[in-house]
Amino acid sequence: MKCSINIKRRLGRRNEMIYGHFIEHFHRQIYGGVYDPGNPLSDEDGLRKDVLEAMRGIKVPVLRWPGGCFVSSYNWKKAVGPKRTPFFDKAWRVEDPNTFGTDEYVKMCRKIGCEPYICTNAGTGTAEEMSDWVEYCNLETEGEFAKWRIENGNPEPFSVKYWSIGNENYGGWEIGAKSAEEWGRLVLEAAKMIKHVDPTTELTAAALADLDWNINLLKHCGNRLDWISIHKYWDMIHETNACAGYEQVMAYTNDLETDINKVRGLLTAMGLEKQIKIAYDEWNLRGWYHPNAHTVKQGIRKEDYLYPRDKNDDNSLYTMADAVFSACFLNTCNRNCDLVGMANFAPIVNTRGCIYTHKDGIVLRSTYHVFDLYVNYLGEQILDVWEEDPKQMTVIDRLGEKTEIDELDVIATYREMEKLVAIAAVNKNAEATRQLELSIQGEFAGREYRICSVNGENVNSYNDIGSEQVKLVVEDWKPMPTPAAFELAPHSVNVIQIR
Ligand code: AHR
């Protein structure tokens, strides 16, 4: 395929927060994941140093916490201060020791070097409790909650800028689910109280690509929101853990922009497209495996809803399919950088995350290397790309239907300071090498290039304890070929840097 790039034709500057992450009080994400007191690999605060190091390696810009479904019956006040009472988490039906709370979370964010992003309880919680949390985190000394933070050993405000009102309160599975009308009213009041506490906060609220829900939400409080949250898991396997194979996953890449376009249309129709950005604050190819989690079936046993969650820890599930898909999703966010301002990989640690922990170390799964490649080798300016004769390929989707998809997924970026062009080029074809020919206009004479690639032997390659089949490989700089044509290996995620 041929691509024309013009350095002057800029789609915009991507927000680094599209490489954001999410961590929830679920299974081994917090307890036994990043927070592992007593493990020799943990620091004085009980945080795994190897996990923090890996997070810094992909420059995590923002980390959403504590949920997810967990948050909709979470009482933040019971997880601060010297007395921590374990509570029964009714969302995930387990006891949470409450030893990891707001203070521990903010300290962890400081060690990672990322922005905290707190999702509040709009399930059983009230607008008052949500705004009390903002008082606790952000007021200097005024009121009882700022004084409580100081009493707990944190004299300086935490300055938490990003706050979400609720998580998926539209879904019947969520504790404290709301109707669209109720939701608009609650968000209005919560937004009012939060902004009264700290007008510098940036607020989002749970939403989805559904007209009625969003119209009610935006009609009631569009002028009080800075973001709108949408979530997406394409391979919905939370009841079965029957992961889609490579070809079926490639079919999902036809559905990367659907929700963004729906929300874009609605925001434009309501005249809010300049004020509100999309926070894609939970996304992952794979839905988390937690069968029977939300069922109220009489007499259900822990063998049916709790113990199966360990199967998320099977590293062989996370292959080049996850890497190639995730790269295509991140390309989509870059292409829509005028509207998508944040995206949070769900989650970052364990479950379907990019970092897997075990008592003696960590495994960097295939998706970790995609974040490493994108965060560290692409530019901040997104350039317009014109594709001549893009090739399609036929794949069989999850329903056994034939579907045509683009074989390559290409974005062009530019690093202003270094005068460096960096093209992310994904070859989705499982068997065939594909050629990408570039022509670059606009005061740029690239003299040499290098290819940085994430790949494995085959589509099912994965990383595990003591075995690394998927790697990020950076080639040496070479003189630019004439014509500027580059080979893209099968099932590969590549960044071609030209300087
Ligand atoms: O499967 C995990 C859940 O997915 C998160 O807790 C929730 O936000 C989403 O429905």
Side-chain angles (χ1 to χ4, degrees):
M1 175 171 78
K2 279 189 187 168
C3 280
S4 298
I5 297 162
N6 184 326
I7 305 292
K8 293 189 182 323
R9 283 182 55 79
R10 316 242 165 134
L11 298 184
R13 187 192 189 289
R14 63 91 182 92
N15 188 321
E16 65 270 9
M17 291 205 297
I18 64 170
Y19 301 125
H21 292 268
F22 169 55
I23 194 163
E24 178 164 4
H25 287 232
F26 173 84
H27 201 232
R28 292 190 320 112
Q29 294 179 28
I30 295 284
Y31 302 106
V34 65
Y35 185 60
D36 198 2
N39 185 314
L41 298 173
S42 296
D43 65 15
E44 67 285 358
D45 296 308
L47 296 168
R48 283 285 292 266
K49 290 177 283 191
D50 47 355
V51 176
L52 297 177
E53 186 55 36
M55 288 176 168
R56 286 190 289 266
I58 51 174
K59 298 191 178 76
V60 172
V62 59
L63 184 64
R64 178 174 179 258
W65 170 84
C69 295
F70 166 82
V71 77
S72 291
S73 56
Y74 173 63
N75 184 336
W76 69 269
K77 295 175 182 174
K78 296 203 172 146
V80 291
K83 191 174 173 313
R84 305 292 178 90
T85 321
F87 82 105
F88 187 75
D89 161 17
K90 294 185 180 69
W92 297 121
R93 308 163 80 158
V94 292
E95 179 179 85
D96 184 299
N98 256 342
T99 49
F100 188 92
T102 306
D103 297 2
E104 290 76 24
Y105 162 69
V106 170
K107 187 178 272 193
M108 176 174 72
C109 289
R110 299 292 186 256
K111 290 185 175 180
I112 297 165
C114 71
E115 286 287 341
Y117 167 14
I118 293 180
C119 181
T120 62
N121 172 2
T124 62
T126 64
E128 184 174 14
E129 282 158 353
M130 295 182 223
S131 51
D132 289 352
W133 205 350
V134 181
E135 286 189 45
Y136 181 85
C137 292
N138 291 2
L139 289 183
E140 296 271 344
T141 60
E142 305 89 327
E144 68 170 292
F145 299 108
K147 290 178 176 61
W148 193 14
R149 182 198 69 246
I150 295 165
E151 211 178 288
N152 291 335
N154 307 288
E156 296 310 316
F158 291 152
S159 308
V160 177
K161 182 175 173 183
Y162 302 104
W163 293 83
S164 173
I165 299 167
N167 172 77
E168 298 189 0
N169 301 82
Y170 45 79
W173 58 84
E174 196 82 8
I175 290 176
K178 300 282 183 302
S179 70
E181 184 57 33
E182 287 167 333
W183 185 239
R185 296 278 323 136
L186 173 62
V187 174
L188 177 66
E189 292 313 312
K192 191 192 301 177
M193 291 181 79
I194 290 171
K195 291 278 188 180
H196 283 187
V197 170
D198 180 352
T200 68
T201 51
E202 290 197 18
L203 287 189
T204 179
L208 71 170
D210 167 85
L211 221 44
D212 293 336
W213 181 268
N214 288 348
I215 284 182
N216 254 293
L217 171 64
L218 296 172
K219 200 171 56 182
H220 279 96
C221 43
N223 61 351
R224 286 179 167 75
L225 295 177
D226 309 282
W227 302 83
I228 186 167
S229 285
I230 53 176
H231 294 175
K232 182 86 176 186
Y233 297 92
W234 282 261
D235 203 19
M236 292 299 279
I237 50 177
H238 47 268
E239 292 299 336
T240 65
N241 203 31
C243 291
Y246 183 85
E247 195 171 314
Q248 295 169 331
V249 168
M250 292 308 109
Y252 286 132
T253 63
N254 270 352
D255 176 30
L256 289 170
E257 225 152 23
T258 319
D259 289 354
I260 294 172
N261 291 337
K262 280 184 188 172
V263 174
R264 181 190 291 277
L266 180 65
L267 289 173
T268 308
M270 299 183 84
L272 293 166
E273 78 284 2
K274 295 277 180 270
Q275 175 204 316
I276 291 180
K277 286 191 177 298
I278 290 176
Y280 225 121
D281 55 14
E282 277 185 39
W283 72 270
N284 196 311
L285 162 65
R286 313 278 185 200
W288 304 1
Y289 182 51
H290 42 63
N292 304 302
H294 305 304
T295 179
V296 289
K297 205 154 64 179
Q298 192 60 27
I300 184 123
R301 304 165 310 155
K302 288 186 177 178
E303 289 79 358
D304 303 315
Y305 70 84
L306 186 59
Y307 306 144
R309 295 175 192 174
D310 292 342
K311 293 205 172 80
N312 288 286
D313 288 347
D314 174 358
N315 289 313
S316 69
L317 300 175
Y318 311 106
T319 66
M320 280 310 299
D322 301 74
V324 167
F325 177 88
S326 297
C328 293
F329 176 77
L330 291 172
N331 283 358
T332 304
C333 292
N334 276 293
R335 256 184 229 109
N336 289 274
C337 63
D338 64 317
L339 184 62
V340 180
M342 185 191 310
N344 305 73
F345 190 57
I348 183 169
V349 173
N350 293 328
T351 313
R352 305 292 195 202
C354 58
I355 302 168
Y356 169 78
T357 71
H358 56 96
K359 69 177 177 48
D360 304 319
I362 58 174
V363 173
L364 302 179
R365 289 171 171 167
S366 64
T367 43
Y368 180 90
H369 297 295
V370 172
F371 279 100
D372 186 0
L373 181 66
Y374 274 52
V375 163
N376 292 310
Y377 293 87
L378 283 178
E380 74 288 345
Q381 299 294 337
I382 309 303
L383 305 179
D384 195 13
V385 173
W386 181 59
E387 296 178 1
E388 289 176 52
D389 65 20
K391 293 274 181 306
Q392 297 245 301
M393 61 189 244
T394 308
V395 290
I396 310 294
D397 71 14
R398 196 71 167 153
L399 305 172
E401 303 288 321
K402 277 192 179 179
T403 181
E404 293 297 304
I405 64 167
D406 290 336
E407 203 166 42
L408 304 184
D409 189 318
V410 178
I411 60 163
T413 70
Y414 188 59
R415 276 188 188 168
E416 198 78 58
M417 296 298 283
E418 300 164 49
K419 298 271 177 280
L420 176 130
V421 172
I423 290 112
V426 184
N427 177 8
K428 300 182 219 172
N429 193 303
E431 285 92 28
T433 296
R434 286 293 178 250
Q435 192 176 77
L436 178 66
E437 188 174 335
L438 299 174
S439 72
I440 302 178
Q441 289 94 25
E443 292 156 35
F444 181 81
R447 294 178 182 73
E448 52 182 5
Y449 80 99
R450 67 177 179 178
I451 297 192
C452 320
S453 294
V454 172
N455 210 345
E457 277 298 298
N458 61 64
V459 294
N460 296 314
S461 296
Y462 66 92
N463 292 337
D464 207 342
I465 301 172
S467 141
E468 196 182 31
Q469 299 174 8
V470 178
K471 294 186 180 77
L472 165 54
V473 176
V474 181
E475 291 179 359
D476 295 335
W477 291 98
K478 296 182 192 116
M480 278 291 278
T482 314
F486 306 91
E487 301 280 296
L488 304 177
H491 52 75
S492 65
V493 182
N494 312 277
V495 167
I496 304 164
Q497 289 189 330
I498 302 170
R499 65 182 181 184

